[in-house]
């Protein structure tokens, strides 16, 4: 016992000494655009309502409204984003909507509002930018599809809920947005609900997230109850001041909030919903299940970072391994999946693992930087995959191949996205992944750092496989594929730009003149946050990361670069033990069904069967024997002689009477009702006369 | 105002409902007639309540119960009508004589 | 009390203003040849009876009537009409040809009940016309003295809810569904 306490104290001590917070950024209120930033949170909802009302009659089925709302947000967020580069902005607005009243000895209120600071500005911009690109892309992608107005209405609902989530100044509003994006996700995964598996996938996503949300809600209540306040700024200040009451519940609350984040950000073992969520249309996968919604968990961790950094370090012992398992094991699954969208989905889960491992290890900037870059290249990859699917009309990579010639723009942008994801210098993914590796190394998680480097190798391997199977070799599908229309390729090109250069904003040791670096942008919070900007590149680590990626690409190319080899691989690859394990997705889905659902049902059934078979049957059989013995005596002596005669006479009489009366039975309900009414009147009159 | 005027009105509504119940062929309109009968009953309750005025306002409370049960009845009734329609392709009660001898 | 005395009371004018449309609307409910008109007449009749409730001081019940009936039940009816594809236009066949037995039964009920009530209550005056019963009294009654029936009715509603779902649900047995689709196709072809 003593040892444990002492250990905890050492951890606390190192955290205080070793991790100086970032250089304090000067905070300004941000002027008009920050004061009225709440408008960004409302425009998508206005679009949602307007699309439902007028969408059907409009030329592009309401897409123009959705894009318009997102374009306003993009402009607004860009202004904020740029002004946040020079001076950190902090502005918080909250209206008391309802008085929760006395709750377990605390006076609590429900506030709605918005917060404008470095972190939320970054998220506003990512949501608005990727959202605008995806909406534009979806106009062409969804052309001629079913329920287009409803699709854009749901997307707007999602965008609005996501902005409510990232703009939330307190935990309660965050939960409101959190459930809102969950709802939109449910609606959009099940967009083609006519097929049973799609609506099952939507249901699965919703249920798995609900399990996790329980943790989020309990965690929020614990914190609110302890502090008497749900506001993030209060939580951050209390955490920084080592508030004793908060310290007492910090680990429990932190782990519960982490459970919520595990659901939304698809961490092992709650990741099972994300691959199935690919049942939704591809733009949905790009916007929600890659770039924005699934990063809400990371965002929550970032928002609550002071809590984890200052009070809940002990929670890291759980968080880091879970995230590390996610990043490694889910990458392996991407290797054996044939559905191109599912490859990208597992890749997303794996990358979310990277972000989570970074933030769990204490790398605030590294995690959010990876979130930032990942949003661009993964949205790009998904939109590229959508472009391919649109052209080939199949999700399956074995129906593709050789598309390089037919779809040059898609091919080029897809390769850029893949290289960025694989972490090839100098694309965006390299810089953010390098920073995560650096954090893991610095914080002493060396073994996990090597796991992450191995993960980078696997990332490169599966992305090479995807590119090779899709774009190289010979075409194996039906019909002649064609390049997608401009409306789809332009977003791809636009997204390829940040996927290439976004990493330059946080090169260690470099601060661009006048705009600083990503670390200082998102460090602008109510309390300064994050590690100081690294002073120089850790060349050893960078080399290791790039080498792992290059090795992955080389191996992938040698394995999958030619059709014949791929075919041979397909024929022989099923022998190792690992392969069936991966094909069955580590048996996790099977475990949930057979391991959790069925045994519980089975135990109950067996128990009931035992009671039924042994106890009740015994009583019944005993009784039956006694009754039988008695019955035989009565039957032979009394029944056969005396009663039968009387019975037969009665039966015959009844039968003849029935023959006569059956004609009253017309079967028509109104005849009966009429007879009923007349009978009632007769009875009443009778009572009145005779009583 | 005297209470009888309400009672007579209520019985008029009730008997109109009975008429509709017996004479209508379409099952949905039969249910409409049943609603009319219940409306008559409710007027009776309220009228008696306004004379008796007990401290519990029992008449009004019973009216609320009647309304609730009527809502349940409509729900189930229409469900049955729907089911019959689906199975027999008719919504006319006089064509449903499966219970005939 | 003469008819002159009766008609000179202003509240009785209010009564007539609501009762006459009420009876006319009720008449339309049971005689209209158009199902939708019948349902809408029922709306009208119920609105008028809600007015009578207010006249008698039962304000809460009146608004419950408006909300539950005019708001919800009638919508349910209109759905029912649409789903069962009941003839929405004019329809001569909406009632039976034989109306006289039914009219006789209804008339006998009317005479019996109205005679009995007039006989029993005669000219009993309603004294405090229009004095509303406070909703608090109703609330206390519902959750105090009458809490058991209240719970029972709640349970009934739950049962009706589940029953409604069970009744209206289409079994998604694929084989049956295919057979149904095939039947519809063959129907449609000629």
């Amino acid at each position: 016992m003593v040892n444990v306490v002492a250990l905890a104290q050492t951890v606390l001590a190192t955290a205080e000494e070793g991790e100086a917070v970032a250089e304090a950024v000067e905070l300004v209120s941000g002027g008009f655009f920050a004061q009225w930033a709440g408008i960004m949170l409302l425009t998508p909802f206005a679009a949602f309502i307007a699309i439902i009302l007028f969408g059907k009659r409009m030329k592009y089925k309401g897409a123009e409204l959705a894009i318009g709302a997102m374009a306003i947000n993009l402009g607004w967020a860009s202004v904020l984003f740029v002004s946040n580069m020079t001076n950190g902005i902090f502005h918080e607005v909250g209206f008391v909507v309802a008085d929760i009243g006395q709750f377990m000895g605390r006076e609590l209120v429900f506030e709605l509002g918005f917060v404008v600071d470095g972190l939320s500005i970054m998220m506003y911009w990512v949501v608005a930018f990727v959202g605008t690109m995806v909406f534009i892309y979806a106009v062409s992608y969804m052309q001629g599809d079913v329920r287009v107005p409803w699709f854009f209405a749901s997307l707007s609902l999602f965008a609005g809920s996501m902005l409510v989530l990232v703009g939330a100044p307190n935990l309660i509003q965050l939960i409101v947005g959190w459930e809102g994006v969950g709802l939109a996700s449910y609606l959009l995964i099940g967009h083609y609900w006519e097929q049973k598996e799609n609506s099952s996938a939507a249901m699965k996503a919703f249920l798995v997230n609900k399990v996790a949300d329980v943790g989020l809600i309990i965690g929020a209540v614990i914190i609110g109850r302890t502090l008497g306040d749900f506001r993030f700024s209060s939580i951050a200040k209390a955490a920084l001041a080592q508030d004793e009451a908060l310290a007492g519940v910090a680990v429990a609350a932190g782990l519960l909030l982490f459970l919520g984040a595990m659901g939304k950000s698809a961490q092992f073992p709650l990741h099972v919903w994300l691959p199935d969520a690919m049942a939704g249309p591809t733009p949905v996968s790009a916007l929600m299940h890659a770039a924005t919604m699934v990063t809400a968990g990371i965002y929550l961790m970032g928002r609550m970072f002071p809590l984890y950094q200052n009070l809940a370090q002990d929670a890291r012992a759980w968080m880091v391994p879970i995230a590390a398992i996610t990043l490694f094991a889910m990458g392996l699954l991407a290797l054996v999946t044939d559905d191109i969208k599912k490859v990208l989905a597992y890749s997303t889960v794996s990358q979310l693992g990277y972000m989570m491992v970074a933030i769990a290890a204490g790398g605030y900037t590294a995690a959010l930087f990876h979130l930032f870059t990942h949003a661009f290249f993964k949205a790009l990859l998904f939109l590229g995959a959508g472009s391919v699917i649109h052209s080939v009309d199949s999700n399956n990579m074995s129906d593709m191949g050789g598309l390089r010639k037919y779809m040059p723009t898609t091919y080029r942008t897809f390769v850029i996205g893949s290289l960025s994801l694989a972490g090839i210098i100098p694309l965006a993914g390299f810089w953010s992944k390098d920073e995560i590796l650096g954090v893991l190394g610095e914080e002493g998680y060396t073994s996990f750092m090597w796991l992450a480097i191995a993960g980078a190798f696997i990332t490169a391997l599966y992305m090479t496989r995807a590119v090779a199977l899709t774009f190289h070799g010979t075409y194996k599908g039906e019909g002649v594929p064609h390049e997608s229309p401009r409306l789809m390729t332009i977003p791809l090109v636009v997204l390829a730009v940040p996927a290439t250069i976004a990493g330059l904003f946080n090169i260690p040791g470099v601060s661009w003149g006048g705009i600083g670096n990503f670390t200082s942008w998102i460090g602008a919070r109510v309390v300064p946050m994050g590690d100081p900007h690294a002073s120089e590149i850790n060349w050893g680590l960078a080399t290791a990361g790039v080498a792992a990626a290059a090795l992955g690409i080389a191996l992938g190319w040698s394995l999958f670069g030619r059709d014949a080899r791929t075919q041979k691989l397909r024929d022989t690859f099923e022998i190792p033990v690992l392969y069936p394990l991966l094909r069955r997705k580590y048996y996790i889905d099977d475990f949930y069904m057979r391991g959790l659902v069925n045994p519980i049902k089975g135990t109950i059934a067996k128990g009931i069967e035992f009671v039924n078979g042994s106890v009740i049957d015994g009583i019944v059989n005993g009784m039956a024997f006694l009754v039988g013995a008695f019955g035989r005596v009565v039957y032979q002596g009394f029944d056969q002689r005396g009663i039968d005669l009387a019975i037969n006479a009665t039966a015959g009489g009844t039968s003849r009477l029935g023959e006569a009366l059956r004609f009253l039975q017309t079967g028509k309900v109104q005849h009966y009702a009429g007879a009923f009414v007349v009978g009632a009147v007769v009875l009443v009159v009778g009572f009145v006369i005779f009583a | 105002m005297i209470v009888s005027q309400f009672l007579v009105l209520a019985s008029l509504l009730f008997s109109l409902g009975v008429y509709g119940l017996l004479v209508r062929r379409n099952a949905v309109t039969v249910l409409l007639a049943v609603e009319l009968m219940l409306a008559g009953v409710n007027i009776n309750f309220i009228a008696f309540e306004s004379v008796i005025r007990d401290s519990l306002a029992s008449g009004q409370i019973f009216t609320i119960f009647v309304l609730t049960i009527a809502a349940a009845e409509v729900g189930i009734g229409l469900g049955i009508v729907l089911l019959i329609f689906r199975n027999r392709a008719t919504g006319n009660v006089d064509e449903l004589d499966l219970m005939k001898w | 009390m003469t008819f002159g005395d009766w008609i000179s009371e202003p509240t009785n004018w209010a009564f007539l203003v609501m009762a006459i449309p009420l009876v006319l609307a009720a008449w339309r409910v049971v005689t209209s040849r158009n199902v939708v008109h019948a349902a809408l007449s029922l709306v009208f009749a119920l609105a008028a009876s809600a007015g009578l409730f207010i006249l008698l001081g039962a304000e809460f019940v009146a608004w419950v009537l408006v909300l539950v009936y005019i708001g919800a039940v009638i919508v349910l009816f209109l759905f029912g009409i649409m789903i069962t594809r009941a003839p929405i236009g004019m329809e001569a066949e909406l009632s039976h040809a034989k109306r006289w037995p039914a009219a006789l039964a209804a008339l006998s009920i009317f005479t019996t009940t109205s005679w009995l009530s007039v006989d029993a209550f005669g000219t009993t005056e309603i004294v405090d016309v229009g004095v509303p019963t406070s909703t608090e009294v109703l609330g206390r009654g519902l959750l105090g003295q009458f809490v058991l029936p209240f719970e029972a009715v709640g349970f009934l509603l739950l049962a009706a809810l589940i029953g409604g779902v069970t009744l209206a649900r289409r079994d998604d047995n694929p084989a049956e569904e295919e057979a149904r689709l095939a039947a519809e196709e063959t129907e449609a072809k000629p």
Side-chain angles (χ1 to χ4, degrees):
Chain A
M1 196 62 203
V2 177
N3 282 343
V4 176
V5 175
L7 193 68
Q9 275 168 352
T10 10
V11 172
L12 261 171
T14 48
E16 278 161 19
E17 289 160 17
E19 302 175 15
V21 286
E23 56 266 51
V25 195
E26 194 192 337
L27 293 180
V28 297
S29 75
F32 171 83
F33 281 92
Q35 275 158 26
W36 293 93
I39 289 176
M40 284 199 293
L41 274 57
L42 297 178
T43 44
F45 289 111
F48 169 69
I49 293 168
I51 294 169
I52 285 184
L53 291 180
F54 311 115
K56 261 192 178 161
R57 271 170 274 160
M58 299 180 76
K59 191 180 169 207
Y60 292 103
K61 305 279 179 197
E64 48 272 75
L65 289 170
I67 293 174
M70 281 321 263
I72 292 173
N73 283 3
L74 178 58
W76 200 295
S78 300
V79 172
L80 286 175
F81 197 78
V82 170
S83 37
N84 185 50
M85 288 174 174
T86 44
N87 289 95
I89 293 178
F90 177 77
H91 185 73
E92 192 179 15
V93 173
F95 308 98
V96 177
V97 180
D99 203 333
I100 299 174
Q102 208 71 18
F103 176 73
M104 295 171 75
R106 288 286 188 170
E107 192 69 38
L108 293 178
V109 290
F110 173 27
E111 278 185 322
L112 287 180
F114 55 89
V115 61
V116 182
D117 63 2
L119 177 58
S120 65
I121 287 172
M122 187 273 284
M123 291 300 286
Y124 289 145
W125 194 75
V126 168
V127 172
F129 179 72
V130 179
T132 310
M133 290 308 129
V134 168
F135 282 17
I136 291 171
Y137 176 93
V139 172
S140 172
Y141 187 86
M142 297 300 284
Q143 201 167 36
D145 210 289
V146 289
R147 296 183 287 274
V148 176
W150 178 237
F151 175 79
F152 280 104
S154 308
L155 272 184
S156 295
L157 178 68
F158 162 73
S161 306
M162 190 69 201
L163 290 168
V164 164
L165 193 165
V166 299
N170 57 51
L171 272 167
I172 301 295
Q173 186 184 333
L174 181 126
I175 290 173
V176 172
W178 190 276
E179 299 302 340
V181 294
L183 169 68
S185 166
Y186 171 79
L187 293 174
L188 286 165
I189 295 170
H191 186 67
Y192 303 116
W193 45 260
E194 286 88 348
Q195 269 145 339
K196 181 103 195 236
E197 52 281 25
N198 294 352
S199 57
S200 308
M203 193 75 82
K204 185 172 176 183
F206 203 71
L207 287 179
V208 173
N209 270 304
K210 276 288 145 287
V211 170
D213 289 354
V214 173
L216 172 64
I217 290 168
I218 297 176
V221 169
I222 289 178
I223 289 176
R225 147 97 186 77
T226 314
L227 281 183
D229 193 353
F230 289 107
R231 261 176 290 176
F232 291 121
S233 49
S234 315
I235 297 170
K237 282 174 188 157
L240 216 66
Q242 302 279 347
D243 183 279
E244 276 186 20
L246 192 60
V249 298
V251 175
L255 281 175
L256 283 164
L257 293 179
F258 177 66
L259 178 64
M262 276 169 71
K264 200 58 98 196
S265 288
Q267 297 295 300
F268 176 87
L270 294 181
H271 64 276
V272 288
W273 65 272
L274 188 56
D276 285 16
M278 297 299 126
T282 310
V284 172
S285 313
L287 178 59
M288 303 173 68
H289 303 127
T292 56
M293 187 188 86
V294 289
T295 59
I298 313 296
Y299 170 79
L300 172 67
M301 294 291 107
R303 253 304 152 214
M304 301 298 295
F305 189 69
L307 182 79
Y308 293 99
Q309 183 76 343
N310 295 305
L311 299 177
Q313 293 97 332
D314 292 0
R316 289 178 178 174
W318 291 95
M319 293 158 61
V320 172
I322 286 179
I325 291 173
T326 309
L327 85 84
F328 186 76
M330 295 305 128
L332 283 179
L333 287 185
L335 274 176
V336 297
T337 314
D338 275 338
D339 183 328
I340 186 168
K341 281 180 74 182
K342 288 199 173 170
V343 170
L344 294 175
Y346 282 119
S347 161
T348 304
V349 179
S350 164
Q351 298 302 312
L352 288 167
Y354 272 102
M355 298 173 208
M356 198 60 102
V357 82
I359 205 150
Y364 172 76
T365 312
L368 291 166
F369 189 44
H370 198 53
L371 187 162
F372 184 68
T373 57
H374 174 260
F376 304 124
F377 59 69
K378 191 50 69 63
L380 168 63
L381 287 173
F382 263 110
L383 294 187
S387 169
V388 169
I389 291 166
H390 195 67
S391 159
V392 179
D393 209 18
S394 163
N395 278 6
N396 212 325
M397 289 195 294
S398 55
D399 293 339
M400 301 172 184
L403 295 175
R404 185 177 36 145
K405 279 171 295 193
Y406 304 100
M407 312 178 73
T409 314
T410 307
Y411 171 66
R412 283 189 204 117
T413 50
F414 198 88
V415 167
I416 289 174
S418 305
L419 291 177
S420 190
L421 171 58
I424 294 299
I425 194 165
L427 299 172
F430 163 75
W431 298 105
S432 53
K433 197 174 284 183
D434 185 49
E435 219 166 297
I436 291 174
L437 298 180
V439 164
L440 288 174
E442 276 165 30
E443 302 284 337
Y445 295 98
T446 320
S447 49
F448 291 115
M449 182 188 81
W450 287 108
L451 197 65
I453 291 175
F457 166 73
I458 290 169
T459 309
L461 186 57
Y462 65 68
M463 279 324 293
T464 312
R465 172 174 178 264
V467 171
L469 291 187
T470 311
F471 292 103
H472 292 269
T474 52
Y475 181 58
K476 297 180 255 328
E478 288 168 7
V480 180
H482 53 87
E483 181 60 284
S484 302
R486 301 273 292 264
L487 216 49
M488 282 165 71
T489 53
I490 289 173
L492 290 178
V493 175
V494 174
L495 275 169
V497 174
T500 313
I501 64 160
L504 305 179
F505 293 127
N506 209 26
I507 299 177
V510 177
S511 272
W512 302 101
I515 62 169
N517 51 50
F518 192 80
T519 311
S520 62
W521 302 345
I522 63 164
R525 298 269 298 268
V526 62
V527 292
M529 206 161 298
D531 296 327
H533 188 55
S535 55
E536 57 182 21
I537 302 175
N538 182 344
W539 286 110
L541 209 52
T543 316
V546 174
L551 204 63
I553 292 175
L555 180 65
W557 188 253
S558 71
L559 284 176
F560 303 103
R562 292 262 155 70
D563 280 343
R565 289 192 214 140
T566 314
Q567 195 53 47
K568 195 174 169 224
L569 210 60
R570 266 180 213 287
D571 297 340
T572 55
F573 200 49
E574 302 194 4
I575 300 159
V577 188
L578 194 58
Y579 186 73
L581 183 68
L582 292 178
R583 279 311 276 236
R584 297 299 300 160
K585 300 179 273 184
Y586 302 115
Y587 298 95
I588 293 172
D589 279 312
D590 297 316
F591 171 71
Y592 285 146
M593 271 318 285
R594 285 182 214 152
L596 286 180
V597 180
N598 294 348
I600 293 172
K601 283 198 299 196
T603 317
I604 295 173
K606 281 209 190 79
I608 290 174
E609 203 207 323
F610 173 75
V611 172
N612 193 352
S614 313
V615 183
I616 298 180
D617 277 9
I619 297 173
V620 171
N621 289 341
M623 287 299 287
F625 177 75
L626 288 177
V627 172
F630 179 68
R632 264 189 299 274
V633 175
V634 174
Y635 174 75
Q636 282 160 3
F638 181 63
D639 187 283
Q640 287 290 303
R641 316 250 161 87
I643 295 182
D644 266 13
L645 188 68
I647 297 278
N648 285 340
T650 317
T654 311
S655 169
R656 276 186 288 280
L657 189 64
E659 287 284 321
L661 283 180
R662 72 172 195 182
F663 293 100
L664 280 179
Q665 206 79 357
T666 58
K668 289 186 179 158
V669 68
Q670 284 170 329
H671 291 180
Y672 301 157
F676 177 80
V677 167
V678 171
V681 171
V682 169
L683 276 181
V684 170
V685 172
F687 270 125
V688 173
I689 292 174
F690 296 109
Chain B
M1 287 198 296
I2 57 176
V3 67
S4 301
Q5 70 199 57
F6 288 96
L7 301 183
V8 171
L9 177 69
S11 63
L12 186 58
L13 271 190
F14 186 84
S15 40
L16 275 173
V18 168
Y19 174 73
L21 175 73
L22 296 182
V23 89
R24 291 301 223 178
R25 296 178 68 218
N26 185 302
V28 178
T29 46
V30 170
L31 286 177
L32 286 176
V34 173
E35 292 307 314
L36 214 51
M37 291 163 68
L38 289 170
V41 172
N42 282 340
I43 290 180
N44 251 0
F45 268 125
I46 298 289
F48 283 131
E49 157 69 19
S50 69
V51 180
I52 297 169
R53 292 263 169 185
D54 67 332
S55 60
L56 279 171
S58 323
Q60 298 189 24
I61 286 177
F62 271 84
T63 310
I64 291 173
F65 285 148
V66 170
L67 287 180
T68 321
I69 292 170
E73 171 247 316
V74 172
I76 291 293
L78 283 175
I80 294 174
V81 170
L82 188 60
L83 199 64
I84 289 175
F85 180 79
R86 219 183 265 151
N87 288 331
R88 311 280 312 260
T90 176
N92 287 348
V93 282
D94 58 346
E95 288 168 33
L96 304 171
D97 48 8
L98 208 66
M99 300 279 278
K100 198 168 94 167
W101 45 271
Chain C
M1 185 164 67
T2 66
F3 183 72
D5 291 342
W6 187 82
I7 202 71
S8 58
E9 264 184 65
T11 47
N12 285 332
W13 280 93
F15 171 78
L16 283 180
V17 164
M18 286 178 274
I20 292 170
L22 171 57
V23 172
L24 290 179
W27 178 251
R28 293 270 295 150
V29 172
V30 294
T31 56
S32 168
R33 285 182 176 185
N34 183 321
V35 193
V36 178
H37 288 182
L40 294 179
S41 304
L42 184 67
V43 172
F44 201 82
L46 290 168
S49 75
L52 286 177
F53 287 4
I54 290 177
L55 191 64
L56 287 173
E59 288 177 355
F60 179 73
V61 183
W63 291 118
V64 168
L65 189 74
V66 169
L67 290 177
V68 173
Y69 265 87
I70 301 172
V73 173
I74 291 298
V75 174
L76 204 59
F77 267 114
L78 292 178
F79 268 118
I81 290 168
M82 282 185 277
I83 289 172
T84 59
R85 284 178 260 166
I88 285 177
M90 284 302 187
E91 179 67 37
E93 300 271 298
L94 210 56
S95 300
H96 294 295
K98 289 177 190 163
R99 298 182 188 179
W100 291 113
L104 203 65
L107 193 67
S108 67
I109 283 221
F110 175 65
T111 36
T112 327
T113 49
S114 57
W115 170 59
L116 278 178
S117 16
V118 172
D119 190 49
F121 291 92
T123 55
T124 311
E125 283 277 340
I126 298 176
V127 219
D128 35 8
V129 176
V131 178
T133 312
S134 93
T135 308
E136 191 193 337
V137 173
L138 287 181
R140 289 194 184 283
L142 271 179
L143 293 177
Q145 184 82 20
F146 292 101
V147 71
L148 197 63
F150 181 71
E151 289 296 328
V153 162
F155 188 75
L156 175 86
L157 272 184
L158 175 69
L161 183 74
I162 296 169
V165 170
T166 319
L167 283 175
R169 202 176 65 118
R170 219 186 257 280
D171 276 334
D172 42 0
N173 182 343
E176 264 178 35
E177 187 71 359
E178 260 172 40
R180 195 181 61 79
L181 286 178
E184 270 177 21
E185 231 170 66
T186 44
E187 251 175 50
K189 260 177 196 162

